[in-house]
Amino acid sequence: MESQKKMMVVFGLVAAVFLQCVAAQTTHVVGDSVGWIIPPNGAQQYVTWASGQKFVVGDFLIFNFTTNSHDVLEVPKASFDSCSSTNPIGNIITTGPANITLTSSGEHYYICTFGRHCQSGQKLAISVSASATSPGSSPSAPSPSTTAGTTPGVTAVPPSSSSPAVGAGFVLCSLSLVMGLFF
Ligand SMILES: *[C@@H]1O[C@H](CO)[C@@H](O)[C@H](O)[C@H]1NC(C)=O
Ligand SMILES: *[C@@H]1O[C@H](CO)[C@@H](O)[C@H](O)[C@H]1NC(C)=O
Ligand SMILES: [Cu+2]
């Protein structure tokens, strides 16, 4: 009886961890310790940073900047390319740090509208995927039926973006899956 109880507790824990990793939301601090500034080494800074991240719907994007020194505005690609604020998507965020929830898949473009900051490289393009289960990483994982929302146009991910930054959450996830097999 006692060991059965123990089994139940362990099973409950595994289930809890598993549920949490299915719903896991990653927080991405743009530029990491660099923050959201005019990048010293130019636009490549945020291109490189973004290529090391895996963005999924529901994740948080933190633009860490000093209020009144920078801001954040989401724009369409054309405005991003020309560093213009025309056709903004949503409202400009003037208070830093800014915490943005990624609510839709596809390409997202952000610029700073101060002076010539964008021209100097303070701009970020990211590709957000719809499903939390990255293709090929764990084929045995039961995939929630979110893949239906994946649009064909979302394949513009840089080829070098095999996600090294999956982190502890993924390890925990895998562990709970493996443990789940024993119970
Ligand atoms: C934002 O930047 C400040 C100053 O560089 C730093 O102390 C703080 O920890 C950063 N916040 C985040 C969320 O990274
Ligand atoms: C960002 O906002 C979400 C909720 O909207 C919150 O759960 C999360 O902790 C916030 N992140 C930071 C670094 O403030
Ligand atoms: Cu700026």
Side-chain angles (χ1 to χ4, degrees), residues 3-180:
S3 74
Q4 220 167 11
K5 238 187 213 169
K6 236 184 240 171
M7 282 255 283
M8 292 291 282
V9 170
V10 173
F11 179 76
L13 280 176
V14 170
V17 170
F18 179 70
L19 280 178
Q20 205 175 14
C21 51
V22 167
Q25 296 164 311
T26 308
T27 297
H28 309 269
V29 179
V30 176
D32 294 321
S33 59
V34 170
W36 184 238
I37 58 170
I38 300 172
N41 301 317
Q44 191 58 38
Q45 181 95 37
Y46 295 119
V47 174
T48 303
W49 174 81
S51 72
Q53 307 282 316
K54 179 161 180 14
F55 302 98
V56 177
V57 168
D59 285 359
F60 303 117
L61 205 53
I62 309 287
F63 288 87
N64 195 7
F65 64 94
T66 308
T67 305
N68 295 327
S69 297
H70 304 282
D71 58 20
V72 182
L73 182 65
E74 184 172 359
V75 292
K77 186 177 191 306
S79 302
F80 174 84
D81 289 339
S82 61
C83 281
S84 108
S85 318
T86 50
N87 304 315
I89 298 166
N91 295 319
I92 191 164
I93 301 173
T94 56
T95 306
N99 181 353
I100 294 175
T101 305
L102 299 173
T103 54
S104 64
S105 62
E107 309 297 312
H108 294 260
Y109 303 93
Y110 304 90
I111 63 171
C112 174
T113 70
F114 272 62
R116 294 183 57 80
H117 293 195
C118 175
Q119 285 87 345
S120 303
Q122 196 177 8
K123 58 200 295 198
L124 172 71
I126 63 171
S127 180
V128 180
S129 56
S131 168
T133 46
S134 52
S137 73
S138 60
S140 63
S143 56
S145 57
T146 44
T147 41
T150 313
T151 48
V154 190
T155 43
V157 188
S160 62
S161 74
S162 51
S163 50
V166 189
F170 182 74
V171 174
L172 217 59
C173 262
S174 312
L175 206 65
S176 79
L177 271 178
V178 170
M179 286 186 71

